[in-house]
Amino acid sequence: MRSYLIANWKNSPASEREALEIIKGLKRVNVYRRLHTFVAPPFVYFGSVAKGIKGAASLASQNIFPGTGVHTGEVTIDILKSFGVKLAIIGHSERRALGETDKDVSKKIKTVLAAGIIPLVCVGEKDRDPDGEHFEFLRLQLRHSLEGVSKENSKKLIVAYEPVWAIGAKAKGAVKPKDLSQSVIYIRKILNDLFGREVADKIPVLYGGSVDASNCVELSETGIRGFLVGRASLEPKSFKAIAECLI
Ligand code: PGA
């Protein structure tokens, strides 16, 4: 079973020229073909990145707009599909911090499913609680985010566990492997309750939050099926090392 590796570039790099440099580094090695590798660049770089990654990775979107019709400033599903987008990151904590609710997330998931795009659904607690309260937060967030997703459609989901406190430059570092194993088991249990064992066991659960070349081996041995990578995905050498951890 091939693992998943998703590069979440967020709002970096600052120019298209730099974006193409990163892609050049990525194309120099062929390890990415042995994984399901996706690159999610800022929308404005879609044209050049889509062309540049051909043969090594697929294009992904960092967000989607769950509607059709006329909407100034939005990028609709039809536009994403015209660029060949295969996967959409939905419910990333940085979008939730801008006001995205579980209800919005559930609507977006259904929109991408209808369009034949894979939804990568992000969930994760803001803080870890020594008494395990964060598990209940995780349960409700996942339940509400997946509201209305049918058992049939749940087979197309990917879930990314991304504890908010482990993400980005101000993070406390990645989650500890032991804690990650526990969260993965718990997420599987919730998916189990929602969709039944047969389907739930097959839904890939990924991890994201301060993944880098130094921690990817131990994090990969926790029952996860891949990584969602922010900062380290902008450095071809680190991204390659992370890919190798998953092979
Ligand atoms: P990070 O970001 O790897 O820079 O912590 C991960 C993410 O936000 O998906």
Side-chain angles (χ1 to χ4, degrees):
M1 259 192 312
R2 274 194 287 168
S3 296
Y4 290 82
L5 180 63
I6 292 106
N8 178 12
W9 285 6
K10 309 190 181 185
N11 50 319
S12 288
S15 71
E16 190 167 31
R17 189 185 50 74
E18 291 165 88
L20 290 173
E21 278 303 308
I22 299 170
I23 292 301
K24 233 198 259 169
L26 193 139
K27 289 275 281 209
R28 235 172 258 139
V29 289
N30 62 10
V31 19
Y32 300 107
R33 276 180 235 146
R34 297 171 62 191
L35 301 164
H36 296 291
T37 307
F38 296 86
V39 177
F43 286 142
V44 284
Y45 305 149
F46 262 27
S48 44
V49 171
K51 232 190 263 162
I53 58 175
K54 250 195 200 133
S58 306
L59 191 66
S61 148
Q62 297 176 17
N63 181 33
I64 68 115
F65 178 72
T68 50
V70 180
H71 302 279
T72 300
E74 293 296 348
V75 177
T76 49
I77 283 282
D78 289 348
I79 301 175
L80 299 183
K81 282 182 78 171
S82 78
F83 280 101
V85 164
K86 296 278 183 292
L87 176 145
I89 300 171
I90 297 181
H92 190 282
S93 58
E94 286 156 9
R95 298 220 54 88
R96 291 181 188 264
L98 292 174
E100 190 165 292
T101 63
D102 290 342
K103 206 168 170 186
D104 298 326
V105 172
S106 122
K107 198 167 165 197
K108 290 183 179 191
I109 294 171
K110 282 175 263 176
T111 305
V112 298
L113 281 168
I117 293 173
I118 304 167
L120 172 63
V121 185
C122 300
V123 290
E125 74 278 359
K126 287 199 189 77
D127 294 299
R128 221 175 162 85
D129 178 77
D131 297 325
E133 280 298 314
H134 55 279
F135 285 119
E136 180 60 6
F137 174 87
L138 209 50
R139 185 180 76 81
L140 292 176
Q141 193 182 46
L142 201 52
R143 259 199 112 86
H144 294 151
S145 299
L146 297 180
E147 188 134 354
V149 175
S150 67
K151 189 169 174 175
E152 194 49 37
N153 272 337
S154 69
K155 293 178 188 159
K156 299 167 195 152
L157 293 172
I158 302 179
V159 173
Y161 172 58
E162 290 219 320
V164 182
W165 54 267
I167 295 174
K170 290 189 190 136
K172 298 172 193 159
V175 66
K176 301 255 177 311
K178 184 173 69 57
D179 295 334
L180 179 55
S181 305
Q182 257 182 19
S183 295
V184 173
I185 291 170
Y186 188 70
I187 287 170
R188 289 230 164 276
K189 185 193 165 324
I190 304 162
L191 294 172
N192 216 329
D193 294 345
L194 289 173
F195 304 117
R197 170 147 235 140
E198 210 189 312
V199 177
D201 278 355
K202 293 193 184 113
I203 298 176
V205 178
L206 319 187
Y207 169 72
S210 299
V211 178
D212 61 28
S214 73
N215 60 21
C216 62
V217 172
E218 54 179 19
L219 291 171
S220 70
E221 292 161 352
T222 52
I224 52 128
R225 273 282 300 284
F227 294 124
L228 174 55
V229 185
R231 284 158 294 160
S233 70
L234 295 160
E235 297 162 21
K237 258 196 199 148
S238 309
F239 198 54
K240 174 177 171 261
I242 295 171
E244 282 165 347
C245 289
L246 293 170
I247 293 170

